[in-house]
Amino acid sequence: MKKLFTIFVAAAAISAAAHATTAFTDAKDAVDYRQSAFTMIRHNTGDIGEMLQGKVPFDAKRVQQRTDALAALAPLPWPAFSTPGTESGGGDAKPEIWADFKDFTAKADKFQLDAKALQTAAQSGDQAKIKAAFAAFRGNCKACHDKYKAD
Ligand code: HEC
């Protein structure tokens, strides 16, 4: 039993150490981390979009869950762009990001504010409000990708 406990503590220590490096000291991890966050953002955004377009039935509760997820996901990618060397870590991030990091960060900040506004609109249950907030939120993707993401 004591031995098992020791193993458990050792495993926890190793996993804590692994977490400490994720996204913040290793360039490849940083790229994986931000790409994973963007993938989750895309899934949640796509589902809301399909509901608003009537491709799948509108479900106010699910929209709320999706926007809760987006509000939580929206802050995640950005610290992984500050890791030194992530310019060359692979992926589709353009060097323009680090040439004008202030502008990139401003776009990331606006994206997060619009994610919060979308979450608030979803809580109202008002489809017109949700549509307007979603259009504003969705506009952030292209505005940033056109300038800062390859292809
Ligand atoms: C402020 C800039 C910015 C905003 C806003 C933004 N993105 Fe991105 N996105 C990027 C960059 C930069 C990359 C490339 C990341 C990399 O490969 O390192 C990216 C990559 C992606 C990827 C590819 C992930 C992969 O696995 O390679 C998807 C999908 C994506 N974004 C979806 C979205 C969606 C959907 C939105 C809006 C709801 C959005 N992004 C908003 C900058 C942004």
Side-chain angles (χ1 to χ4, degrees), residues 34-35 38-39 42 78 91-92 137 140-141 144-145 149:
R34 67 200 189 205
Q35 287 185 341
F38 283 125
T39 301
R42 174 171 62 84
W78 322 114
D92 298 325
F137 172 76
N140 290 291
C141 319
C144 187
H145 289 175
K149 181 178 174 293

Side-chain angles (χ1 to χ4, degrees), residues 48-145:
I48 299 170
E50 289 189 349
M51 280 192 260
L52 291 177
Q53 288 163 25
K55 285 188 186 158
V56 293
F58 184 84
D59 176 343
K61 181 91 195 122
R62 196 163 97 209
V63 172
Q64 271 188 31
Q65 286 167 348
R66 294 296 194 189
T67 61
D68 288 348
L70 285 170
L73 289 165
L76 294 186
W78 322 114
F81 285 95
S82 303
T83 307
T86 62
E87 304 91 315
S88 55
D92 298 325
K94 281 193 181 172
E96 280 82 347
I97 292 171
W98 293 277
D100 195 352
F101 203 66
K102 231 176 127 183
D103 178 62
F104 182 74
T105 303
K107 284 185 162 53
D109 288 348
K110 183 179 177 299
F111 173 68
Q112 291 170 74
L113 286 176
D114 287 348
K116 284 236 168 81
L118 176 60
Q119 184 184 32
T120 305
Q123 280 156 3
S124 79
D126 180 333
Q127 267 198 61
K129 272 191 193 158
I130 296 171
K131 261 195 178 150
F134 183 74
F137 172 76
R138 191 73 187 75
N140 290 291
C141 319
K142 192 174 182 325
C144 187
H145 289 175

